[in-house]
Amino acid sequence: MHNDLLCSYQLTLLDAYRKMNTSQKEIVFVLDEEERLVGVLTDGDIRRLIAEGRDFSTSLSSLSYPSCKLLMEGEDMAKALEPLAKDGFKVGTGVVRILPVVNHESRVVDAVDLRETAFLPVASPDIGTKEFNYLVDAYLSGWISSSGQYIGQFEDTFSEYVGVEHGVACSNGTSALHLALLALGVGPGDEVIVPDLTFAATINAVFHAQATPIIVDVEPEGWTIDCDEIRRHASAKTKAVIAVHVYGQPCDMTALRGVCDDLGLALIEDCAEAHGAKFDGKMVGSFGDISCFSFFANKILTTGEGGMCLTASSELADTMRKLRDHGMSREKKYFHDTVGFNYRMTNLQAAIGCAQVSRIDEISDQRLALERAYREALEPLDLFEFQPDLERRTRTVWLVVALVKGDSPTRDAIISALRRSGIDCRNFFYPLSDMPVYAPYKTKSEVTQSLSERGLCFPTTTTLKPDYVERLRDALLEWQCNEATG
Ligand SMILES: *Cc1c(COP(=O)(O)O)cnc(C)c1O
């Protein structure tokens, strides 16, 4: 496939130029007599050399070649291309289109055409002109810290969207969880139940509050916290549950409310991955005593970094407002009657948030459509089990996720194959209970173990043309063929 790109350095500029003309590719890889890569030459390079007075009969061996970007055989292409992609694939004055792949002897074994293989990130934010306009407005107003009109506006519009009375914006999703725990009076000696399948921020917040986590397994149906496990592991010391709507799937809120009421536990919803998901037609985030959202750049809605606590209780909201602002008295400025934090959101972040809230239906619909495209393209391959759709639970799409039909080596082989094609595919969260820092707090976790070994997250980037779904399918087909033929 790359033979038409190879050019011996005993040839001339004219030979190289003719080669490009035949291959219809604007580059050749120049090789020494031992067929090792010396450098690359593009049509632009040839034009410059001619303009500088070189002759077409110049031997390629008399030219000097600056070091060029290349890939090593077997290298993780997604990783290698990541820094290049950040610069729009610019190297020096030009834009790289075709990269040589070399082995450890510097022999060219393959070529990668970046136009077909441009690095595809697992997630990128959907921010556009509206966000930019609001941001510039906040910037020009001079209110760039945590005062300014956008903060209140963001709290109001987002809490109204979810259908909860009070919104308290803060610096990120983790500080939102910390504020929620503190406002509910959780502290040293108290236990908080968290699911095993989640991002580490959920359990870290429990440590920040100096409480003790109890990690419980998730249910096989929805992959969300198992209410029977909560009943089994709650004790007299247990104060609260943090339920996570993991990968956009709502928890069973009827069962959760039931168990929390029975046992007298506070219920915190971690909605970081589920903006807009619904249970019984009602938004997640409207069921818990407090619910917490993240607006990190890879979440459904983003403010760069950011978070928000929602609650129906004005007392809880007041406590959280005070704690996020150094514990300063709400009545008497600069008088502190409790030790607080600086967990404030800036007006700049809130401005982006306001634009995002106004676009949430459009953003959610695009993510759902992308997931549909994935299902249609990949179902015929019979490789994956997609996230289940359950009665009463209306999922939203954070990342497009699926389980591999097979074991974990298959999952890892698929991820490697996709990454070699420049497609950034990720495995599921590791079970919290597998990580030594959290392991002392584990109970049992068979379901989480199995999900975590088989789960993968596909690129969920709605700002690119969705034709990358076909590219991903083709890479999988090629992998399947190679597997079948050994
Ligand atoms: C992202 C995330 C958080 C934390 O959000 P940050 O804004 O990064 O602090 C908390 N919980 C879950 C489940 C998350 O996915």
Side-chain angles (χ1 to χ4, degrees):
M1 112 184 228
H2 56 275
N3 279 341
D4 58 349
L5 293 167
L6 303 181
C7 199
S8 158
Y9 77 168
Q10 280 149 352
L11 299 175
T12 64
L13 277 181
L14 185 61
D15 296 321
Y17 199 71
R18 285 192 170 135
K19 207 155 185 104
M20 291 179 197
N21 208 31
T22 318
S23 69
Q24 290 292 308
K25 293 184 178 140
E26 54 289 280
I27 194 167
V28 290
F29 303 154
V30 182
L31 309 181
D32 66 13
E33 56 269 89
E34 258 141 43
E35 302 205 321
R36 285 182 306 236
L37 182 69
V38 180
V40 303
L41 196 68
T42 64
D43 56 348
D45 293 334
I46 296 181
R47 271 197 302 278
R48 263 188 303 281
L49 289 163
I50 300 296
E52 284 164 12
R54 298 279 189 136
D55 205 87
F56 263 118
S57 62
T58 306
S59 161
L60 297 183
S61 62
S62 70
L63 301 174
S64 62
Y65 299 90
S67 71
C68 66
K69 178 71 199 164
L70 43 79
L71 295 166
M72 296 304 297
E73 186 177 31
E75 188 179 12
D76 180 336
M77 204 162 84
K79 202 141 121 217
L81 293 182
E82 203 164 6
L84 266 186
K86 287 211 175 88
D87 289 335
F89 294 99
K90 281 197 207 76
V91 170
T93 52
V95 175
V96 225
R97 300 218 177 79
I98 299 178
L99 292 180
V101 182
V102 299
N103 65 14
H104 61 283
E105 293 171 315
S106 290
R107 295 213 160 73
V108 178
V109 293
D110 202 355
V112 170
D113 191 331
L114 295 178
R115 282 161 301 189
E116 289 159 21
T117 341
F119 173 72
L120 180 61
V122 76
S124 34
D126 178 355
I127 46 175
T129 37
K130 190 161 189 181
E131 285 78 0
F132 183 69
N133 288 339
Y134 284 25
L135 177 62
V136 169
D137 185 52
Y139 173 86
L140 293 175
S141 76
W143 296 101
I144 58 171
S145 280
S146 48
S147 303
Q149 57 151 355
Y150 283 109
I151 296 170
Q153 193 181 321
F154 183 41
E155 290 177 334
D156 290 349
T157 51
F158 188 69
S159 56
E160 192 179 325
Y161 168 74
V162 180
V164 180
E165 184 144 7
H166 307 281
V168 180
C170 57
S171 50
N172 54 60
T174 313
S175 56
L177 288 165
H178 188 194
L179 287 175
L181 288 164
L182 294 176
L184 290 164
V186 173
D190 296 333
E191 290 172 351
V192 178
I193 297 180
V194 299
D196 202 9
L197 186 71
T198 182
F199 179 60
T202 312
I203 191 168
N204 285 347
V206 178
F207 288 107
H208 297 336
Q210 295 177 285
T212 307
I214 302 176
I215 302 168
V216 302
D217 208 358
V218 297
E219 30 144 83
E221 301 80 40
W223 317 347
T224 50
I225 195 162
D226 185 332
C227 292
D228 294 336
E229 288 297 295
I230 297 177
R231 257 180 230 284
R232 204 160 293 139
H233 295 288
S235 75
K237 290 194 225 152
T238 311
K239 269 276 177 67
V241 174
I242 306 181
V244 182
H245 307 296
V246 74
Y247 296 121
Q249 178 80 276
C251 300
D252 181 342
M253 296 316 295
T254 306
L256 256 172
R257 195 75 262 184
V259 67
C260 288
D261 287 351
D262 286 353
L263 302 176
L265 307 177
L267 175 57
I268 298 173
E269 283 179 77
D270 182 341
C271 308
E273 304 173 4
H275 316 58
K278 290 179 182 153
F279 182 81
D280 272 349
K282 226 174 131 226
M283 291 273 179
V284 304
S286 64
F287 294 88
D289 296 293
I290 301 177
S291 57
C292 302
F293 289 81
S294 163
F295 305 110
F296 184 66
N298 72 5
K299 301 290 157 91
I300 298 169
L301 234 61
T302 186
T303 60
E305 295 274 3
M308 200 184 294
C309 296
L310 301 184
T311 181
S313 153
S314 54
E315 289 96 279
L316 289 174
D318 277 347
T319 307
M320 292 191 289
R321 283 181 201 284
K322 183 169 169 174
L323 285 169
R324 87 173 160 184
D325 193 16
H326 300 290
M328 202 189 297
S329 161
R330 308 267 297 145
E331 290 77 39
K332 195 166 160 190
K333 224 168 165 36
Y334 298 108
F335 191 86
H336 300 256
D337 46 22
T338 177
V339 180
F341 304 84
N342 178 355
Y343 277 173
R344 297 174 310 228
M345 174 179 273
T346 68
N347 199 41
L348 300 174
Q349 293 165 304
I352 298 175
C354 286
Q356 288 266 289
V357 176
S358 76
R359 296 181 49 230
I360 184 149
D361 290 336
E362 168 203 334
I363 290 172
S364 306
D365 288 350
Q366 278 172 348
R367 299 180 91 90
L368 284 164
L370 180 62
E371 194 202 52
R372 267 198 306 279
Y374 265 111
R375 286 182 184 231
E376 274 163 31
L378 301 186
E379 255 152 19
L381 272 59
D382 199 28
L383 282 172
F384 306 107
E385 228 173 88
F386 280 92
Q387 205 176 6
D389 284 306
L390 302 170
E391 228 178 295
R392 305 174 74 187
R393 311 195 204 187
T394 313
R395 289 187 301 112
T396 185
V397 174
W398 173 44
L399 295 173
V400 176
V401 291
L403 304 178
V404 170
K405 291 183 182 171
D407 46 15
S408 49
T410 314
R411 193 272 310 263
D412 293 346
I414 288 174
I415 291 181
S416 305
L418 289 173
R419 290 183 67 87
R420 276 197 300 277
S421 305
I423 297 170
D424 194 7
C425 207
R426 302 273 171 95
N427 49 282
F428 263 27
F429 295 123
Y430 297 110
L432 293 178
S433 57
D434 267 11
M435 291 181 261
V437 277
Y438 307 125
Y441 309 96
K442 71 177 174 187
T443 56
K444 80 159 187 56
S445 61
E446 284 144 38
V447 180
T448 305
Q449 286 291 341
S450 155
L451 293 169
S452 175
E453 281 166 13
R454 296 164 56 218
L456 50 76
C457 310
F458 292 113
T460 312
T461 295
T462 50
T463 46
L464 292 174
K465 275 213 312 218
D467 56 6
Y468 65 77
V469 173
E470 268 91 74
R471 197 180 117 198
L472 185 144
R473 181 202 51 204
D474 292 348
L476 284 172
L477 278 170
E478 194 182 322
W479 173 81
Q480 255 183 335
C481 266
N482 290 342
E483 287 292 292
T485 55

